[in-house]
Amino acid sequence: MISADGEQLGIMSAAQALKIAEDNDLDLVKIAPQAKPPVCKIMDYSKFRYEQAKREKENRKNQKQIETKEIRLSVTIDVGDFNTKVNQAKKFLASGHKLKVSIRLKGRMMTHADLGIENMKRFASQLEEEANVDKAPKLEGRQILMFMSPKGKASK
């Protein structure tokens, strides 16, 4: 049993502990219920929950959110547009975001999916100094998808 000011009160029955807590207008909270005997503390539980929520909110605020940015390529993309997409991908990777690179195949492009995969591989080779390929280019339905993450981060 621990008092509200952190003082050890020793081992006592639940009824005694509850009476002491009620006399002080506080709550009796089990801190370590699995211990033998269980450890209880007298405290203002609502204040404890408020402070705990405040700490959790502060921790969430300090966490870095990693977003997944998407870059869409085309089977028929030209050199200038390709280089623009590469530069944009470098910016995303430099700011710590993951990349989802996709090519949507329309109409007769489905017969030339191999050209799309070649474009993806060329894109990955342009970014091999900045990024790791998490998932190699793969045809999934009418899309070719590839996932990349910045180097220096643990890749999956």
Side-chain angles (χ1 to χ4, degrees):
M1 179 68 165
I2 303 170
S3 70
D5 48 335
E7 179 186 329
Q8 293 275 345
L9 298 178
I11 298 172
M12 59 180 68
S13 70
Q16 286 176 317
L18 197 56
K19 183 172 181 347
I20 293 171
E22 286 174 355
D23 290 343
N24 293 326
D25 288 331
L26 295 172
D27 302 311
L28 182 66
V29 181
K30 279 188 180 178
I31 301 295
Q34 68 278 3
K36 297 282 185 210
V39 179
C40 296
K41 185 174 182 178
I42 297 173
M43 66 169 75
D44 186 356
Y45 189 68
S46 60
K47 181 179 177 184
F48 171 74
R49 288 289 299 145
Y50 169 75
E51 288 172 355
Q52 191 176 31
K54 202 166 146 181
R55 276 194 303 272
E56 287 173 4
K57 186 177 178 185
E58 190 67 32
N59 289 340
R60 276 195 305 273
K61 192 190 311 182
N62 293 335
Q63 283 182 346
K64 186 171 191 259
Q65 295 290 326
I66 296 176
E67 288 184 44
T68 301
K69 300 284 188 172
E70 183 172 2
I71 301 266
R72 283 194 185 160
L73 300 177
S74 169
V75 173
T76 58
I77 195 166
D78 203 16
V79 177
D81 292 334
F82 184 82
N83 291 336
T84 302
K85 298 283 187 179
V86 168
N87 291 334
Q88 189 63 45
K90 285 180 182 179
K91 287 180 189 172
F92 289 151
L93 292 166
S95 57
H97 300 298
K98 290 188 174 191
L99 274 183
K100 174 183 175 184
V101 186
S102 65
I103 295 179
R104 193 161 284 145
L105 302 172
K106 300 174 187 168
R108 291 186 180 179
M109 286 184 199
M110 277 300 290
T111 59
H112 300 291
D114 55 329
L115 295 176
I117 291 174
E118 287 303 314
N119 273 348
M120 289 279 211
K121 289 180 180 174
R122 190 166 54 119
F123 189 80
S125 69
Q126 290 280 321
L127 294 170
E128 67 186 358
E129 291 161 17
E130 290 87 6
N132 296 321
V133 176
D134 292 341
K135 186 178 171 203
K138 184 179 174 193
L139 181 65
E140 295 179 6
R142 290 186 130 333
Q143 283 195 81
I144 303 171
L145 295 174
M146 173 174 67
F147 291 91
M148 304 176 91
S149 62
K151 277 221 167 132
K153 306 272 183 190
S155 60
K156 291 180 183 177

